[in-house]
């Protein structure tokens, strides 16, 4: 299934069509999961290290009803960490998108290839080498390696 087209048809309010032709990382997270905050620095390194012309990172915040109309506090933290130009943050109010995709535990990551089809995914904590390996396999150029040991 082409996820970009599915999102368009389902009218989730998350338009991925501008990123067609790029590898898209959908990273699902929740304010209730401490593991989601643990992964934030790793995703920032990935964002800094890989070519943004061929990679789009989308943070999907599964917001619960108690957040109401207020912004999700973790989404705000993600925005401050990355800057508004770096990634797309989607607040999934009442976890509608997560429910439709069967995402029940956080963190959860779905990687779409350049055609918009699922290429790989993982539930739980991820390491930099794992995520970097996925992206390089899918043809995203790694411009630097923030995870490499520093030479003394």
């Amino acid at each position: 299934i082409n996820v970009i087209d599915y999102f368009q048809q389902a009218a989730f309010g998350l338009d991925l069509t501008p990123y067609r032709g790029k590898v898209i990382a959908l990273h699902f997270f929740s304010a209730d999961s401490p593991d989601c905050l643990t992964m934030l620095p790793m995703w920032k390194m990935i964002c800094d290290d890989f070519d943004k012309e061929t990679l789009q990172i989308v943070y999907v915040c599964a917001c619960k009803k108690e957040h109401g109309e207020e912004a999700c506090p973790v989404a705000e933290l993600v925005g401050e960490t990355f800057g508004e130009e770096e990634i797309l943050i989607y607040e999934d109010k009442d976890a509608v998108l997560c429910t439709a995709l069967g995402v029940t535990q956080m963190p959860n990551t779905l990687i779409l290839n350049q055609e918009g089809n699922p290429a790989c995914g993982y539930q739980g904590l991820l390491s930099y080498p794992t995520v970097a390996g996925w992206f390089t396999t899918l043809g995203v150029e790694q411009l630097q390696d923030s995870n490499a040991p520093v030479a003394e």
Side-chain angles (χ1 to χ4, degrees), residues 66-86:
E66 63 257 21
H67 294 305
E69 292 302 312
E70 296 177 27
C72 174
V74 177
E76 289 179 1
L77 176 63
V78 170
E80 291 168 7
T81 301
F82 287 88
E84 294 184 24
E85 302 296 317
E86 297 285 324

Side-chain angles (χ1 to χ4, degrees), residues 2-40:
N2 184 291
V3 177
I4 294 173
D5 293 338
Y6 172 70
F7 280 22
Q8 195 80 359
Q9 293 168 0
F12 290 119
L14 175 57
D15 184 10
L16 298 177
T17 56
Y19 313 114
R20 194 178 299 273
K22 290 185 173 189
V23 171
I24 302 172
L26 294 166
H27 182 64
F28 298 88
F29 69 99
S30 166
D32 301 333
S33 170
D35 288 343
C36 293
L37 294 176
T38 301
M39 289 184 63
L40 194 56

